[in-house]
Amino acid sequence: MRIIRSIRHKSCADGTMMKEFVLSAPLTEEFFMYLKGFGEVTAKPGIGEGFYTFEKPDCFSIKGFVGDTSVEVRFRREVIDLTTDFVYSLFSLYRDGDPDLVTLHRREARVVARVHEHLYGR
């Protein structure tokens, strides 16, 4: 699965930047379970069947419904330039249930270190 294009951008009242992305394939429950290795995933049954959120503290969040081919990502504005590429990697390296976890965790470590340095100093 990969991000094909961004279709909507919006500045949010909480200071984040929301981007809606169109995906090459529908979201799956397995994709959200894979994201658990990189942050907190929560199923939200009260909102609708198959709605999930993913939170990567200090970086971004992902929201979407299983079966949809679009997803909402909210970036922390101060670090959007540092985290956007990692979001693309989470989708493109998933490879339909066979993710390249070694590459992803290496990228994650670099991104988190840069984000923390930018937000909190050395």
Side-chain angles (χ1 to χ4, degrees):
M1 175 184 334
R2 59 188 172 70
I3 295 172
I4 296 174
R5 69 181 175 278
S6 177
I7 58 173
R8 190 170 68 151
H9 304 127
K10 179 172 91 174
S11 291
C12 300
D14 64 359
T16 59
M17 172 65 79
M18 187 280 293
K19 292 187 177 194
E20 186 176 352
F21 295 110
V22 174
L23 307 172
S24 63
L27 291 166
T28 63
E29 185 175 350
E30 292 76 22
F31 176 76
F32 284 102
M33 295 309 103
Y34 140 81
L35 289 178
K36 282 186 175 184
F38 302 95
E40 183 180 332
V41 173
T42 307
K44 303 282 189 172
I47 295 176
E49 186 65 32
F51 183 75
Y52 286 89
T53 63
F54 166 79
E55 181 74 31
K56 181 83 179 146
D58 290 331
C59 297
F60 57 87
S61 66
I62 299 172
K63 298 176 184 178
F65 284 95
V66 168
D68 278 359
T69 55
S70 67
V71 67
E72 177 184 299
V73 180
R74 287 184 183 231
F75 294 92
R76 185 163 173 175
R77 188 177 301 279
E78 302 92 337
V79 294
I80 190 170
D81 293 339
L82 302 174
T83 57
T84 302
D85 285 344
F86 184 65
V87 169
Y88 276 81
S89 295
L90 281 174
F91 285 91
S92 66
L93 295 176
Y94 175 62
R95 298 187 193 147
D96 297 322
D98 186 24
D100 184 352
L101 293 175
V102 172
T103 299
L104 282 166
H105 284 297
R106 189 171 50 238
R107 288 181 185 177
E108 176 189 32
R110 284 194 309 262
V111 167
V112 168
R114 290 176 66 201
V115 165
H116 281 234
E117 182 178 330
H118 181 78
L119 293 175
Y120 307 112
R122 291 191 184 260

